[in-house]
Amino acid sequence: PVFRKPETEGDYSNMVIDQVSYSQRLPSVREKNAEKAEKLNVKFFPEGGNLVQGLKSRVAFTVSDAEGRPVAASGKVIDAAGTERATVTSDSTGRGQFSILSDGSTCTLVMSDAKGKKYNFTLPEATKEGCVLRMDMEQEDELSANISASAGICGKLLGYTLMHNGNIVRCDTLTASNHLVRTFPRRTVPAGVNQFTVFDSDGRILAERLFFICPPKSDADSICVTALTESPAPCGKVRIKLETAPEASLSFSAMDV
């Protein structure tokens, strides 16, 4: 806010906002969202990047309302003929996943909001040729990259890289097939965000996925949070106690729920 000049120099006890100057402030230069905000919105994230005809893919999705807040909802995926292809449900964070075998037909996710109004969301179009990548992270001592190639790519020489912080951890070639698995001991993969990429002899990326490896547990990394204010008051202060190892770095955020 821009305040008017005080009548007496140095006296700021009765300041008034200059409404004229405030109304003539610089306009907002933010780009407006081209997508229309509906009461229910869905975004799809095929694992590996793309759906491929003739291959089964795992698809993650998020559901939100017009304000961008997550929505727990359920629905079904149907094809152009109206046949149900998958049943889907999002959790309290608005996230979920489903698997679907792409055959080239247009598929639609049908979901209903809290009032029963139905919304249709078209799945991404499947490519005719390509690879599907699925990371198996559930094993305790190893992780697996499952690579499936379409018929037009089977038999061709492909390459893959496993990268961390822009550095190559693993790289090799492989012969594309309908189902190929590359397994890595979990202890040999760096902690944090890693990137697995599959590409052809021309350097064209066929599939790519980020995944996270949790750092090993350590007493030095533990953080203890204790609330010292037993009964918070509206708009009142809250006291908490944070304990961790000396010289540790941490970040803190608070929100009103």
Side-chain angles (χ1 to χ4, degrees), residues 44 62 68 80 119 200 223 233-234:
F44 299 102
T62 60
Y119 294 83
D200 61 15
I223 299 174

Side-chain angles (χ1 to χ4, degrees), residues 178-238:
N178 183 258
H179 186 212
L180 185 66
V181 181
R182 285 292 182 268
T183 303
F184 309 96
R186 187 178 286 267
R187 57 181 173 77
T188 65
V189 181
V193 179
N194 293 271
Q195 177 178 306
F196 191 91
T197 306
V198 180
F199 51 92
D200 61 15
S201 57
D202 295 324
R204 183 171 61 100
I205 295 177
L206 301 177
E208 191 171 51
R209 190 190 193 283
L210 299 176
F211 63 93
F212 186 80
I213 297 294
C214 292
K217 293 182 179 180
S218 171
D219 294 337
D221 298 330
S222 61
I223 299 174
C224 179
V225 182
T226 306
L228 301 180
T229 303
E230 296 182 356
S231 301
C235 300
K237 293 183 178 181
V238 176

Side-chain angles (χ1 to χ4, degrees), residues 68-244:
R69 294 171 296 198
V71 175
S74 59
K76 59 183 179 179
V77 177
I78 60 174
D79 57 21
T83 304
E84 183 175 324
R85 304 285 294 275
T87 302
V88 303
T89 303
S90 63
D91 57 19
S92 59
T93 65
R95 300 170 182 172
Q97 67 177 30
F98 61 90
S99 295
I100 188 170
L101 178 61
S102 302
D103 57 5
S105 63
T106 301
C107 291
T108 304
L109 170 60
V110 182
M111 275 193 161
S112 302
D113 60 15
K115 295 183 179 180
K117 182 179 178 180
K118 291 185 177 181
Y119 294 83
N120 296 335
F121 307 96
T122 303
L123 270 66
E125 184 179 356
T127 61
K128 293 183 178 180
E129 300 289 350
C131 286
V132 168
L133 172 63
R134 178 167 181 165
M135 298 296 298
D136 181 4
M137 309 289 296
E138 298 178 359
Q139 301 298 322
E140 184 176 350
D141 56 349
E142 64 181 19
L143 58 93
S144 301
N146 298 268
I147 307 164
S148 299
S150 59
I153 296 181
C154 285
K156 293 185 178 181
L157 186 66
L158 305 180
Y160 75 84
T161 57
L162 174 60
M163 301 184 68
H164 176 76
N165 284 346
N167 299 314
I168 296 178
V169 179
R170 291 282 189 90
C171 64
D172 203 349
T173 58
L174 53 87
T175 302
S177 65
N178 183 258
H179 186 212
L180 185 66
V181 181
R182 285 292 182 268
T183 303
F184 309 96
R186 187 178 286 267
R187 57 181 173 77
T188 65
V189 181
V193 179
N194 293 271
Q195 177 178 306
F196 191 91
T197 306
V198 180
F199 51 92
D200 61 15
S201 57
D202 295 324
R204 183 171 61 100
I205 295 177
L206 301 177
E208 191 171 51
R209 190 190 193 283
L210 299 176
F211 63 93
F212 186 80
I213 297 294
C214 292
K217 293 182 179 180
S218 171
D219 294 337
D221 298 330
S222 61
I223 299 174
C224 179
V225 182
T226 306
L228 301 180
T229 303
E230 296 182 356
S231 301
C235 300
K237 293 183 178 181
V238 176
R239 297 177 64 243
I240 62 173
K241 181 180 180 181
L242 297 175
E243 292 181 282
T244 186

Side-chain angles (χ1 to χ4, degrees), residues 40-81:
L40 209 61
N41 299 278
V42 173
K43 291 185 177 181
F44 299 102
F45 305 94
E47 186 171 12
N50 297 298
L51 298 176
V52 181
Q53 294 183 19
L55 300 178
K56 190 174 184 179
S57 299
R58 186 163 57 180
V59 182
F61 66 94
T62 60
V63 186
S64 61
D65 61 13
E67 303 299 327
R69 294 171 296 198
V71 175
S74 59
K76 59 183 179 179
V77 177
I78 60 174
D79 57 21

